[in-house]
Amino acid sequence: MLPTTTHSAEVMVTARHIASWPRERNALIPADCWRSAQRVAFRLPAVKRAVPVCRNLVRAWLDGQGIDDDDTRYPVLLVLSELFTNAIQYSAGRRVTCRIWRSEGLLHLEVHDRGGTSSVPLMRRPAQTQEHGRGLELVAHCSSRWGRRTEADSSCTVWAAIPLTAGVRNGMAP
């Protein structure tokens, strides 16, 4: 069930939800339920199949917020995919949380995981022949700023601030 709160929303997605989630890219999620949710958090299992589900949820939130400009949407979804995938790959946790909100011309995105590994997200310069290692370079390119913080409980939050383009409506969706 999706929330219909006024200012913020928190959605817990279980492994059962993930298993039965429609495989179509544009699974129907009504944007109305996100219209007034200025800030949202999605908690999902730390499995690869959760990445497209989280993208789908964020896409619906963007729709509800009236953020329909591809120059904003594409970088947001790319950054989300990279950070969420890294959290799944490098965390020892069983859940990943994605938080998203907008303020002062920026769209803020955080991906939080349990941590538990010695791996720290670092931007690398892989050789052209290497298949992996470009994700954080893409995050840096798409964001006005990004970073990582370790929380008191040793969990990890990686965040990015992505500029809203001039074509994005400032107010809520009609």
Side-chain angles (χ1 to χ4, degrees):
M1 176 177 280
L2 297 173
T4 55
T5 61
T6 55
H7 296 292
S8 65
E10 196 166 306
V11 177
M12 176 79 81
V13 179
T14 66
R16 181 181 290 164
H17 291 123
I18 297 289
S20 64
W21 196 269
R23 297 229 179 243
E24 300 88 49
R25 182 172 179 246
N26 296 322
L28 185 60
I29 300 173
D32 301 15
C33 66
W34 306 115
R35 184 167 288 142
S36 62
Q38 298 167 358
R39 176 183 196 100
V40 69
F42 302 111
R43 298 184 194 293
L44 295 102
V47 296
K48 287 182 182 180
R49 176 75 176 107
V51 177
V53 171
C54 192
R55 262 195 319 264
N56 205 322
L57 291 167
V58 167
R59 216 181 264 116
W61 181 83
L62 292 168
D63 290 344
Q65 294 296 303
I67 301 172
D68 52 13
D69 180 73
D70 285 339
D71 289 338
T72 297
R73 291 171 71 93
Y74 181 77
V76 167
L77 295 170
L78 178 63
V79 167
L80 167 70
S81 295
E82 292 299 333
L83 297 183
F84 204 97
T85 300
N86 283 354
I88 290 168
Q89 187 171 2
Y90 297 111
S91 173
R94 301 174 86 178
R95 300 201 73 71
V96 176
T97 301
C98 169
R99 294 181 194 93
I100 189 167
W101 71 97
R102 68 193 271 186
S103 71
E104 301 176 15
L106 294 171
L107 206 141
H108 302 274
L109 181 66
E110 291 182 346
V111 175
H112 178 84
D113 64 66
R114 176 82 175 105
T117 67
S118 59
S119 180
V120 174
L122 298 171
M123 196 161 46
R124 297 184 277 159
R125 300 269 184 215
Q128 287 184 343
T129 57
Q130 289 180 298
E131 290 185 36
H132 301 285
R134 291 172 184 78
L136 292 179
E137 190 173 347
L138 290 170
V139 169
H141 178 74
C142 292
S143 308
S144 59
R145 59 188 185 274
W146 73 279
R148 173 193 186 268
R149 67 179 180 267
T150 302
E151 309 295 343
D153 63 355
S154 298
S155 61
C156 175
T157 300
V158 182
W159 57 270
I162 301 158
L164 292 166
T165 63
V168 173
R169 292 175 274 175
N170 288 329
M172 298 284 189

